[in-house]
Amino acid sequence: MNDDSTMTALDDPTFHLDVLDSLVYPADCDGAVPLASDPDDRYPYAYPRDIASITKAWLGATEADIRPNECRQHIVDSARFLLAAQDEVGRWRQRYALDGTDSGIYRQEDNVGHGLRVLAHAVFALDQTDSLGDADAEFREDIIDATERAVTHVRDDLFDPNAHLVESTTSIHEGRIESGYTLWVNCVFVAALRQVGRALSLLPEGTDDIEASVESFRTHLEGGVRRAFTSPAQVPRRYSPTGDIDTRPDVTLFAPYYFELGDLFGDHLHEAAGRSATALEDPEIGGVQRFLGFYGDFEVHQHGGNGPWMQYTAWHAQYRFANGEYDHGNEILATIAQYANERGHIPEHLTTKRRFEAFMEEEWNTGVDFEKEFDEEVLRDVSFDFVAEELGHMKAAYRDLEAQTKDRDVVRFAMPLAWCHAEYLTALLVRDSAGA
């Protein structure tokens, strides 16, 4: 447990900016980029999903006039990195080394949407600080070219014109639980298309043809999303690859709120977020779990023992603040702060000694966790060296959790995690903008 001084530190947006600064590294290709965690910790990689969350937080700080020039530069540097990392097809993959090398092992096609969002954030940050016209013209041209290639790839290779939805696996879960036509993926791409459409319109270069193409595709996809996800009584988290509806709650039900799609979802946004918050609240630790923790389900991956994830718990706080529930939102932030370490660093997720021991006995020692983590349904055709490296990170993380169980009942996984601090920062900014 932490004292009031930890909560006070975490209540300062600049504290989180400092933590994020400490995780930004110069790239060996172009730009600079935040790694998910310290290079010698669990995730020594740059993840487009995380970068999109972090640049969103930096953009929010820029708009709130909190270190605007510094935040703008971080966003632009991150965009430069992703421009260098994008492949010739227009894709961004799961994760990258600092030299821009593709180090991903999962398909997770929604990272194309996250990459587009980062490019849009760069344009918005430049515009917000009145420096868009002064930006390097080649940088602006690169954004236009990268956007066109990425959107073309999504439309031609990922979008199913019969289902009117994007089919893929996602960056939220590793397992087949997130394959098919998912709420998360389709919200990612609607948001990405909306953002890049607006970003293109701000550039001084002529982009009318590309804007029209983006607008046409966005309109079609939004129609499919509205039909598929707002017609059932409960918003489904996905349709399986064969079209079976899946309404089991998980954190992706926050996606309509998180991606600001209230106009598309209407009251269904609140149904989905409320169901997720209610079903996934951890009754012992507090905070929001990723999904219901039935270990016998092959689609459920426990990661050392089921428990709350701090970045998703921060989503819940953001949602409460946005709806004027300030006391509830503050209680959620206090829960997160309670589990920060003495330096105020927020872990990725939590579990208990009993849950961890059950995970080790039922899944790790039996090899079931390996089968779930490296399921052929979601694994890319990559060298086994990548699998072995990831397995080594997993083993080290679980040994660390095992050591923690000697001193405490609640154990913490991977800290500081950049994504968690970005979402906590965004929650503070939402609270301030909502007038709390």
Side-chain angles (χ1 to χ4, degrees), residues 184-414:
W184 173 263
V185 162
N186 284 278
C187 286
V188 167
F189 282 115
V190 169
L193 292 169
R194 288 183 172 190
Q195 289 185 303
V196 296
R198 183 161 69 91
L200 290 171
S201 72
L202 294 172
L203 296 174
E205 289 78 11
T207 59
D208 290 348
D209 290 346
I210 303 174
E211 289 179 56
S213 177
V214 170
E215 176 73 8
S216 175
F217 180 33
R218 179 191 63 78
T219 302
H220 188 176
L221 177 59
E222 287 187 1
V225 169
R226 182 182 290 108
R227 182 195 68 164
F229 293 103
T230 69
S231 58
Q234 293 183 319
V235 175
R237 69 178 178 188
R238 69 166 182 161
Y239 290 83
S240 74
T242 58
D244 295 323
I245 194 168
D246 181 358
T247 59
R248 290 173 294 175
D250 72 4
V251 294
T252 64
L253 295 181
F254 277 105
Y257 162 73
Y258 185 73
F259 292 111
E260 302 178 5
L261 303 180
D263 62 310
L264 189 59
F265 281 83
D267 290 340
H268 296 276
L269 179 153
H270 300 291
E271 182 279 319
R275 182 155 46 96
S276 182
T278 300
L280 302 178
E281 181 74 15
D282 193 300
E284 182 179 9
I285 304 175
V288 174
Q289 300 172 0
R290 286 210 297 186
F291 36 65
L292 297 177
F294 297 104
Y295 81 92
D297 184 348
F298 189 80
E299 295 184 341
V300 170
H301 198 174
Q302 301 285 12
H303 286 290
N306 198 37
W309 294 65
M310 299 296 95
Q311 63 270 54
Y312 306 137
T313 302
W315 290 358
H316 186 198
Q318 294 166 26
Y319 172 75
R320 296 303 175 186
F321 288 137
N323 286 280
E325 301 174 56
Y326 304 123
D327 289 344
H328 195 172
N330 285 328
E331 289 170 2
I332 296 167
L333 291 187
T335 296
I336 298 173
Q338 177 183 2
Y339 295 110
N341 68 8
E342 63 280 357
R343 299 174 62 186
H345 291 165
I346 301 172
E348 180 179 29
H349 71 103
L350 310 169
T351 191
T352 67
K353 177 180 179 180
R354 183 176 180 183
R355 297 179 204 178
F356 171 73
E357 290 173 346
F359 164 79
M360 294 297 288
E361 179 180 348
E362 295 161 352
E363 300 203 52
W364 181 258
N365 292 334
T366 62
V368 170
D369 185 67
F370 177 87
E371 294 176 15
K372 290 181 177 182
E373 181 82 30
F374 304 108
D375 179 9
E376 291 183 357
E377 291 294 321
V378 297
L379 205 65
R380 289 171 55 194
D381 184 16
V382 297
S383 167
F384 190 76
D385 283 350
F386 285 110
V387 174
E389 180 183 13
E390 182 67 11
L391 194 60
H393 289 310
M394 292 164 61
K395 179 180 178 181
Y398 297 148
R399 292 294 175 263
D400 176 63
L401 289 179
E402 186 175 35
Q404 290 184 48
T405 62
K406 295 178 173 59
D407 301 318
R408 58 176 68 94
D409 288 330
V410 176
V411 294
R412 302 175 291 202
F413 191 96

Side-chain angles (χ1 to χ4, degrees), residues 174-186:
E174 291 82 358
R176 65 180 76 187
I177 193 173
E178 278 296 306
S179 62
Y181 307 87
T182 70
L183 176 69
W184 173 263
V185 162
N186 284 278

